[in-house]
Amino acid sequence: MIQIHLQPEVEAQLAVEAHARGLAIEHYVEKIVSARPAEQVSQRTVAEAIDGIRELRRGNKLGGFKIKDLIHEGHKY
């Protein structure tokens, strides 16, 4: 059996979900973990991640505003 330590809030939420499905929390967590094996998770290098972020930034304009202006606008409310 897998030994997992969770934050109390996360464990409480998982317990609710497990109970709703009629499972013990240990079996529910095991089912979640086994559904997505680590080998299938795509690993990106830091450089690839940075390139992806920069690509998302291209073409996104603020309409003449500065980031500081937008932050300040949020502080008004």
Side-chain angles (χ1 to χ4, degrees), residues 32-70:
I32 292 171
V33 171
S34 66
R36 186 164 182 178
E39 300 84 43
Q40 292 181 356
V41 176
S42 173
Q43 295 293 323
R44 296 174 63 181
T45 65
V46 173
E48 290 173 333
I50 291 170
D51 289 342
I53 291 169
R54 287 186 174 150
E55 183 64 33
L56 287 172
R57 288 180 51 196
R58 286 195 188 115
N60 293 320
K61 305 294 179 193
L62 297 176
F65 291 105
K66 296 178 185 174
I67 294 288
K68 286 185 179 183
D69 296 335
L70 297 174

Side-chain angles (χ1 to χ4, degrees), residues 1-4 6 11 14-15 18-19 23-34:
M1 179 163 278
I2 300 170
Q3 186 73 26
I4 298 176
L6 301 170
E11 188 171 349
L14 286 172
H19 179 71
L23 298 170
I25 188 169
E26 295 83 12
H27 296 293
Y28 184 61
V29 170
E30 208 169 280
K31 191 173 185 179
I32 292 171
V33 171
S34 66

